[in-house]
Amino acid sequence: MAFTNIAALATASIALLSQSHLAVAQSASCLVTASTPQSCQNTTAVANTCCFNSPGGQLLQTQFWDTSPETGPTNSWTIHGLWPDECDGSYQENCDPSRDYTDPQTILQDFGATSLLSYMNTYWKNDGASDQELWEHEWATHGTCISTFDTKCYASYQTGEELVDFYNTTVNLFKTLPTYTWLANAGITPSTSRTYTSSAILAALKAQHGANPVIRCASGSLDQVYYAFETKGSTQTGEFIAVAPTGESSNCPSSGIKYAPKTSTSKKRETRARRRGLGVRNM
């Protein structure tokens, strides 16, 4: 995994992958070269979808800022998931029910990915049920629709190998997108009294990410961010290029946006429906 927007992030990401316990068995043809096509930028069909994300050519790393109830560290956003959107902004979900794995914790442990599991226990949190339920849901709903995680893409495939790769890729990508720090460096910090403008929040995140993300609010409070990427090569080992999301849009007001601290005592809870027009996207 490499990034074109910030060279330091690429170095950090590659280092993280080199420490992985996983045996990602991608063929040599997945190596990124000058001629490797970029997802959503190709003019002809690419047959090898083990080395090219299709039809979900735009990947969204989505994050939560949960305050009611609070989840995760007080100085960090938490992981929502990794979503494959098609290049026109549409998307598929639940692409392979035969791989709706249960008990991902045991699968991670069986593959020796204990460090990954520990990180997920801290930063990939559910807000009303067990963390594992969210992990299972994100894989079944979104991960099974990422073509490079298909079982045919692995040599000497072991059951659950692609599940661990999905979590590993999502976590590594999340580590390069420190939303809390990026906002704080721009003077945007959680507060019970201050409010912020949408333009200031987006500018702070774009300056670091390299493209406009999507920000989402519930009752005027900032609670989600989506970072979009196109890719070269496989999701597991390829290059990520920051882009603006095609099928998602911000719903926050232009001003008066609240950014509540996680120490809030509010008892109000918001639903996590992802609305696109009249439809609702599974989280």
Side-chain angles (χ1 to χ4, degrees):
M1 182 191 301
F3 299 80
T4 60
N5 54 328
I6 301 177
L9 294 185
T11 302
S13 181
I14 292 169
L16 286 167
L17 282 171
S18 68
Q19 296 167 9
S20 172
H21 295 280
L22 309 181
V24 179
Q26 297 288 332
S27 68
S29 62
C30 282
L31 294 176
V32 176
T33 68
S35 62
T36 300
Q38 181 172 321
S39 61
C40 295
Q41 301 300 318
N42 56 305
T43 56
T44 59
V46 176
N48 184 4
T49 56
C50 289
C51 299
F52 182 81
N53 281 309
S54 179
Q58 189 173 103
L59 296 177
L60 275 62
Q61 201 289 295
T62 53
Q63 300 182 12
F64 283 134
W65 179 256
D66 284 329
T67 59
S68 268
E70 302 167 17
T71 63
T74 59
N75 63 346
S76 177
W77 288 55
T78 56
I79 299 170
H80 183 175
L82 185 66
W83 300 351
D85 277 9
E86 298 187 18
C87 302
D88 63 1
S90 61
Y91 56 89
Q92 300 179 33
E93 294 181 339
N94 302 298
C95 294
D96 187 355
S98 71
R99 292 188 292 148
D100 287 0
Y101 298 114
T102 57
D103 196 10
Q105 176 171 303
T106 297
I107 295 174
L108 287 162
Q109 291 170 335
D110 288 347
F111 276 89
T114 53
S115 294
L116 174 60
L117 176 59
S118 176
Y119 192 91
M120 290 169 62
N121 280 326
T122 301
Y123 292 97
W124 202 333
K125 307 297 294 180
N126 206 350
D127 72 344
S130 73
D131 295 341
Q132 284 213 87
E133 285 186 46
L134 177 58
W135 303 345
E136 290 170 3
H137 172 87
E138 290 302 309
W139 162 254
T141 306
H142 306 294
T144 59
C145 297
I146 298 176
S147 66
T148 70
F149 292 133
D150 195 288
T151 58
K152 69 183 180 183
C153 300
Y154 293 81
S156 304
Y157 172 73
Q158 301 176 63
T159 300
E161 188 173 359
E162 79 282 26
L163 174 72
V164 186
D165 276 352
F166 171 74
Y167 294 145
N168 190 60
T169 300
T170 304
V171 163
N172 284 343
L173 197 56
F174 171 77
K175 287 180 178 180
T176 69
L177 300 165
T179 301
Y180 184 93
T181 299
W182 287 351
L183 291 176
N185 288 345
I188 300 171
T189 56
S191 172
T192 58
S193 58
R194 293 190 303 274
T195 62
Y196 303 98
T197 64
S198 176
S199 60
I201 295 169
L202 288 170
L205 299 178
K206 180 181 179 181
Q208 299 299 322
H209 174 52
N212 264 326
V214 160
I215 56 173
R216 305 285 292 178
C217 291
S219 300
S221 292
L222 183 65
D223 72 344
Q224 295 182 72
V225 62
Y226 304 166
Y227 296 100
F229 297 87
E230 292 173 359
T231 59
K232 291 184 177 181
S234 73
T235 307
Q236 294 92 317
T237 62
E239 179 181 329
F240 283 64
I241 301 95
V243 297
T246 300
E248 301 283 355
S249 59
S250 299
N251 72 341
C252 296
S254 60
S255 62
I257 298 173
K258 294 172 284 187
Y259 184 18
K262 289 191 178 181
T263 54
S264 170
T265 58
S266 170
K267 300 300 182 183
K268 184 176 182 180
R269 296 190 58 182
E270 301 291 342
T271 63
R272 282 182 170 174
R274 273 64 177 144
R275 298 190 178 274
R276 285 178 166 174
L278 298 177
V280 176
R281 178 171 189 165
N282 285 324
M283 71 179 219

